[in-house]
Amino acid sequence: MAYIGLARPVIARYSEAGGEVRYSDGIRYGKAIKIQIDPHYEDVSDYNDINDTDDDQEFVYADISLNTDETPEEAEEMMFGHEASGGTVVSRDTDRSGYVGVGIRVRSVIRGRVRYTALWIHKAKFQDGSGDHETKGDSIDYKTPEIDGKAVPDIDGKWRTKKTFDTAEEADAWIDAAAGIESEV
């Protein structure tokens, strides 16, 4: 499989109630530029017997780096706990990041056929990215926001779900449903 495109990042507020996971307030999170997901595993092998050769690893967390063309105002409060209104974002020392679900669509080629993989990260927490601003200079150097976060398993032990579709519209509808976004039709 060759991944050849990234599109349509979506986030939704994560909550747990009555032993169930719920997502609400789902929004598009700008236009996708790049996402990097780096899972980390812990060695949980049983070394009680010297002849034990079974290695066993268990998912612990995944580092996520998301680069988009903008950070929507609605995401400032949902993801970072900032006060956002009318184009103004106020960051305080008492702001706390909240958990969100994150969805993206990836265009891929599988055995010569174009397919669309929808990816849902069940529970992630992000921090504000660093700011990098400079004067224009002799050439244009575009800077886009990048945020870093960590995905952890939800209360059901799920941290990521992938599903492959024939069309981009089907993949988008699946991500929207996961995020609790109503159909725009």
Side-chain angles (χ1 to χ4, degrees):
M1 174 183 328
Y3 292 117
I4 57 174
L6 171 66
R8 209 169 183 279
V10 170
I11 63 166
R13 189 179 313 273
Y14 174 93
S15 64
E16 299 172 359
E20 292 184 18
V21 173
R22 295 203 172 120
Y23 298 98
S24 60
D25 305 325
I27 60 167
R28 290 252 346 248
Y29 193 90
K31 292 181 182 175
I33 295 172
K34 179 182 176 181
I35 190 167
Q36 182 174 344
I37 303 169
D38 184 16
H40 295 272
Y41 298 88
E42 181 178 289
D43 185 357
V44 293
S45 300
D46 184 11
Y47 290 107
N48 292 334
D49 183 6
I50 195 162
N51 296 318
D52 188 6
T53 58
D54 291 336
D55 289 331
D56 199 9
Q57 294 185 340
E58 183 176 284
F59 174 80
V60 181
Y61 66 92
D63 288 320
I64 301 175
S65 180
L66 177 61
N67 190 244
T68 61
D69 70 334
E70 67 172 326
T71 300
E73 190 173 281
E74 303 94 319
E76 294 282 356
E77 185 276 326
M78 184 186 312
M79 295 179 83
F80 312 118
H82 302 322
E83 179 184 326
S85 178
T88 301
V89 177
V90 178
S91 303
R92 293 183 172 29
D93 60 347
T94 56
D95 292 350
R96 297 294 177 258
S97 295
Y99 283 109
V100 294
V102 180
I104 58 166
R105 173 177 33 97
V106 180
R107 185 172 180 247
S108 58
V109 176
I110 303 169
R111 292 182 287 287
R113 183 174 167 203
V114 174
R115 302 289 303 269
Y116 298 88
T117 301
L119 178 73
W120 184 254
I121 304 294
H122 292 261
K123 183 179 181 181
K125 187 180 278 193
F126 291 87
Q127 298 81 36
D128 273 322
S130 61
D132 187 9
H133 311 283
E134 60 186 61
T135 60
K136 180 179 171 188
D138 292 335
S139 63
I140 297 173
D141 186 17
Y142 292 101
K143 305 289 184 185
T144 55
E146 181 174 308
I147 58 171
D148 296 314
K150 186 176 284 192
V152 296
D154 66 13
I155 58 174
D156 296 325
K158 299 174 190 172
W159 78 272
R160 175 180 61 191
T161 300
K162 295 181 194 180
K163 187 165 176 142
T164 303
F165 297 90
D166 291 325
T167 68
E169 293 78 18
E170 291 172 314
D172 292 346
W174 184 84
I175 291 169
D176 286 352
I181 298 173
E182 299 283 328
S183 175
E184 296 176 7
V185 177

